[in-house]
Amino acid sequence: MITIRKLEERLLELFSSGRLAGTVHTCIGQEACAVGIASALDLDRDIVFSNHRGHGHYIAYSDDVEGLIAEVMGHPDGVCGGIGGSQHVQLRNFYTNGIQGAGAPIVVGMALAEKLKGTGSVAVVNLGDGTFGEGALYEAMNIASLWDVPMIFSVEHNRYAQTTPFELQHAGDLSGRGEAFGIETHRLDGMDVHAVAEVASGAVARARSSMRPQLIFMETYRFAPHSKGDDFRDRSEIERYRQRDPIILLARQAGLETHVGEIEAEVKERLDSIVRRLSEDRP
C-alpha cells in the first residue's frame, strides 16, 4: 500500500515537471481496495480488468513498479512498450480501459469464456461510483446474472465522478443496484484492507464455486484530485477522510506506526533509482 501511495505521488511530481506522456489519475487514499481485492485472487489464472484509475490495481497484481513508471513515461521499457500510457496497460491477465463502464461487458465475456473452458477462473472488473451512470454497466450485470457468470463487480465508491458528488448524479442507493439483478452484494469499509481482503476472499470463493456474479461495494475516498489539479472539494472534507487513511489504519492494527517512515524511505529510494535509470536511458 505504501508502494502504491508513493508511486502515485511520484507520478504527480513527474507530470508537473513535464516528464510524463499523456495524463495520470491517481488512487491516493484508495490503496486498501486494490490490495485487499488482489489478495483474494489466484493471480496465476484470475482476470483483473481496471479503469482510468488503475495504477494501484496494477501494482497489487504485479508489483511491476518499473514497468509501470516506464510505461507512463513513454519509455520503451514500459509494460506496453511505452505506447499505452497510464490508461492502457496489459500484462498477463491484467487489462485496463479508460472509458467509463467499458470494462464491464468485456469482463462478462471474459468470465463466460473461462466458464465454458472450465478453467475455474474468476474475472474482476474494477469500477467507480461514476460508472453507475453508464447503461453498459447494467446490461453487463443483467447478462452476468442471467448466464451465471463467475465474476466480481468491484466498486470503489469514492463519492465523486471527477468533481461531481455522487448525490448530484445518482438517485437511490448505489450499493443495491446489483441486487436488482439477483447479484449477491457485499458492503464494507474500503479503508480497512483486512475487511476488504476478508470479504473479497469469501466473494471470490462463492463466484468460483457457484458460477454466480458477486458485487463488492467499498466505501472509500480519494485524497488527491481526480487527475492533476482539478480539485474543488471542501478542504475540511478531505481532512476528515484523511483521519481514516488506510495506510495509517493498517499500521495501527499491525502495531507498525513507528515503522511507516522507514518503509516510505525504502520505497522512495527504490522509486528514485528507477526514475534515474529511465531518465538517463531515454531513446
Side-chain angles (χ1 to χ4, degrees), residues 26-81:
T26 66
C27 67
I28 296 172
Q30 300 177 208
E31 298 89 354
C33 299
V35 173
I37 295 291
S39 73
L41 299 174
D42 180 345
L43 299 180
D44 290 327
R45 61 172 171 165
D46 290 338
I47 296 167
V48 179
F49 204 106
S50 188
N51 50 37
H52 64 291
R53 200 175 306 283
H55 304 151
H57 304 141
Y58 180 75
I59 295 304
Y61 174 86
S62 68
D63 192 37
D64 180 23
V65 174
E66 183 163 355
L68 180 60
I69 294 176
E71 183 62 35
V72 181
M73 290 180 71
H75 194 284
D77 285 355
V79 60
C80 293

Side-chain angles (χ1 to χ4, degrees), residues 155-169:
V155 181
E156 298 178 17
H157 179 33
N158 67 15
R159 310 184 69 82
Y160 286 88
Q162 192 161 333
T163 57
T164 304
F166 82 97
E167 298 95 339
L168 298 183
Q169 60 177 333

